[in-house]
Amino acid sequence: SRAGGMGDYGAATSADPNAIHWNASKLAFAEKNAGFSISYTPWLRALVNDINLAYLAGYKKLNDEQTLAASLRYFSLGNIDFTNENAEKTGSFNPNEWALDLAYARKLGENFSGGLTLRYIYSNLTGNQSISNGTIQTRPGTSVAADLSAYYTTEIDVSGKDAKMSYGLNISNIGSKISYTDTKSKDFIPTNFRL
């Protein structure tokens, strides 16, 4: 909610347990020895009542230079009824996706740090339903990805008051393509650049 309230501005803010999502390298400068965060968000509640996003994240400083972190993001798309070409119901399913992240952050200097996050993605949108008149069988999509991040922070003086100036960079979801069928058609997962 902190980054969302600032227009998804999370790459250069101070470190908190949710930093693994925005810029894991910030965790090398975390002030506390450990921290965790849990959140639950009803999604599109005015339209449907069973779509939600849950997030669990935490970090542990190994020493003053290094930090390990992990997170689990789960997105439930609610119950969906599947139909065939004749609008006949063929089944119901609760599509969902989750991603497990493991991150490592390290200070590379007094004011600079780098981070690496590894991610496993599981996306089950169809419940193994067949498509195209039953000729193509679907399956859950899986993928792996990595984030590379950097963070620079320094103390400055602004009109006689102590302040901090920080810069952050994160390239996320550098990874393999994903497919929901056994065909050769695969799609890129969205790679993001935050500065």
Side-chain angles (χ1 to χ4, degrees):
S1 60
R2 174 187 180 205
M6 296 188 293
D8 289 340
Y9 177 77
T13 56
S14 59
D16 64 20
N18 297 312
I20 191 171
H21 176 75
W22 300 102
N23 181 346
S25 62
K26 298 188 306 183
L27 292 169
F29 289 96
E31 294 179 7
K32 296 182 179 178
N33 192 39
F36 75 96
S37 171
I38 186 167
S39 66
Y40 174 82
T41 306
W43 199 272
L44 301 173
R45 188 60 73 196
L47 299 176
V48 292
N49 62 1
D50 60 352
I51 299 178
N52 60 73
L53 175 67
Y55 187 69
L56 174 66
Y59 73 89
K60 171 75 172 116
K61 291 183 72 81
L62 302 176
N63 53 42
D64 192 47
E65 305 291 320
Q66 305 173 87
T67 305
L68 286 178
S71 73
L72 177 64
R73 183 174 42 248
Y74 178 79
F75 184 49
S76 172
L77 283 81
N79 192 56
I80 294 178
D81 292 328
F82 291 103
T83 59
N84 62 19
E85 292 80 10
N86 299 318
E88 300 166 333
K89 185 175 175 180
T90 60
S92 293
F93 183 64
N94 185 359
N96 62 79
E97 300 180 304
W98 58 268
L100 176 66
D101 295 355
L102 299 173
Y104 173 76
R106 181 176 180 87
K107 286 184 182 176
L108 302 172
E110 184 178 338
N111 300 323
F112 183 70
S113 64
L116 172 67
T117 304
L118 301 177
R119 176 172 302 113
Y120 176 76
I121 301 165
Y122 177 87
S123 177
N124 191 352
L125 301 179
T126 63
N128 299 325
Q129 294 283 322
S130 58
I131 57 176
S132 297
N133 291 322
T135 60
I136 300 175
Q137 185 68 35
T138 65
R139 61 177 169 80
T142 60
S143 184
V144 292
D147 298 357
L148 295 174
S149 57
Y151 182 68
Y152 177 84
T153 185
T154 187
E155 294 185 8
I156 61 171
D157 180 73
V158 177
S159 300
K161 304 227 181 218
D162 292 334
K164 283 190 177 182
M165 181 179 295
S166 300
Y167 301 92
L169 166 88
N170 185 23
I171 303 171
S172 63
N173 282 336
I174 304 166
S176 62
K177 292 181 177 182
I178 194 167
S179 178
Y180 295 93
T181 65
D182 289 329
T183 64
K184 293 183 179 181
S185 174
K186 292 187 175 187
D187 298 307
F188 285 101
I189 59 175
T191 300
N192 298 302
F193 176 79
R194 287 189 180 99
L195 179 64

